Amino acid sequence: LVIEHYQCATAAGSYVNIASATKSVVALLVGIAIDRKAIASVDQPLTDFFPELQDPAVDPNARHITLRHLLSMSAGWRVTPADMPPAHAIDALKRPMAFAPGKTFQYDNASSHLIGIVVARAMGMPLEAFAGEHLFRPLGVGRYIWGKDGDGYTQGWSMLHLRLLDMLKIGQLVVYRGHWQGRRVVSADWIDEMLTPHNDGGPP
């Protein structure tokens, strides 16, 4: 930290919704879960985490989606212009498929929410508890606010509230390729994977 300045005295301790930057925090948590062997790899099929995909109402092509497809926003589900996760996150699995998995980028908040559920199920604890123990505590982030959906799942796509100084720590963790003050928080290989383009992207 070189300098900090706020428009008012109370702003220094303000917790702000970091919105879609939440997705990058969740991606860091995926890497930590892989480091801890709770997730084998990003090429694991979602059927390993969501038995709900065996529901007859699910498009059979959705059973070929992997965690990598969610992380690169190329799962292939038909997305809506509003692009909001459904009221019940698991219903996102039942959306009709518009593209083969991995073929086409589509910005998809619901996919990011599902990633958070994957991590929670793999670790056997709520996403925010896992984050607190294995990401925030090592960084010295003592407090955070993270919204949940109506079913109690931590929002994987938004609603994480942090202070500006805490966001700085997360940024420095990435700059230092997963190291923080002499401690390995997440593998350097995972940081490299996160920062590697996996498709051409698209709007927005």
Side-chain angles (χ1 to χ4, degrees):
L1 178 66
V2 178
I3 189 172
E4 58 179 316
H5 171 75
Y6 301 92
Q7 295 290 348
C8 61
T10 58
S14 295
Y15 288 80
V16 178
N17 180 5
I18 66 170
S20 284
T22 301
K23 297 175 173 67
S24 294
V25 174
V26 172
L28 285 169
L29 294 173
V30 170
I32 295 171
I34 291 173
D35 291 342
R36 299 181 69 82
K37 312 298 184 186
I39 295 174
S41 81
V42 292
D43 294 313
Q44 268 191 270
L46 289 193
T47 50
D48 287 357
F49 307 100
F50 293 108
E52 295 92 342
L53 281 167
Q54 303 302 331
D55 189 308
V58 169
D59 187 322
N61 292 314
R63 298 180 187 122
H64 301 292
I65 297 172
T66 65
L67 182 55
R68 180 186 299 275
H69 297 142
L70 296 191
L71 287 160
S72 59
M73 290 200 175
S74 60
W77 282 301
R78 184 183 300 159
V79 300
T80 64
D83 187 37
M84 294 292 289
H88 302 288
I90 301 304
D91 287 345
L93 300 169
K94 300 177 182 178
R95 292 175 292 173
M97 297 289 288
F99 303 99
K103 296 298 183 184
T104 303
F105 173 91
Q106 295 184 104
Y107 196 83
D108 183 14
N109 282 319
S111 282
S112 295
H113 194 15
L114 290 172
I115 295 169
I117 297 173
V118 166
V119 174
R121 289 185 173 186
M123 296 307 306
M125 65 172 68
L127 182 67
E128 76 277 10
F130 177 63
E133 183 175 349
H134 297 287
L135 177 62
F136 295 140
R137 186 183 300 167
L139 296 181
V141 177
R143 181 172 180 261
Y144 55 95
I145 303 164
W146 204 336
K148 298 183 179 182
D149 68 13
D151 294 321
Y153 290 116
T154 306
Q155 299 279 12
W157 63 286
S158 185
M159 304 302 172
L160 174 59
H161 296 69
L162 294 170
R163 299 178 308 152
L164 179 60
L165 289 176
D166 299 329
M167 283 295 289
L168 175 61
K169 293 175 181 180
I170 292 170
Q172 288 296 138
L173 177 70
V174 175
V175 169
Y176 296 146
R177 298 182 69 230
H179 259 116
W180 178 256
Q181 297 183 347
R183 174 176 178 173
R184 169 66 63 188
V185 177
V186 61
S187 68
D189 286 346
W190 179 252
I191 297 295
D192 293 342
E193 181 79 0
M194 281 182 64
L195 299 180
T196 300
H198 292 277
N199 55 49
D200 293 332

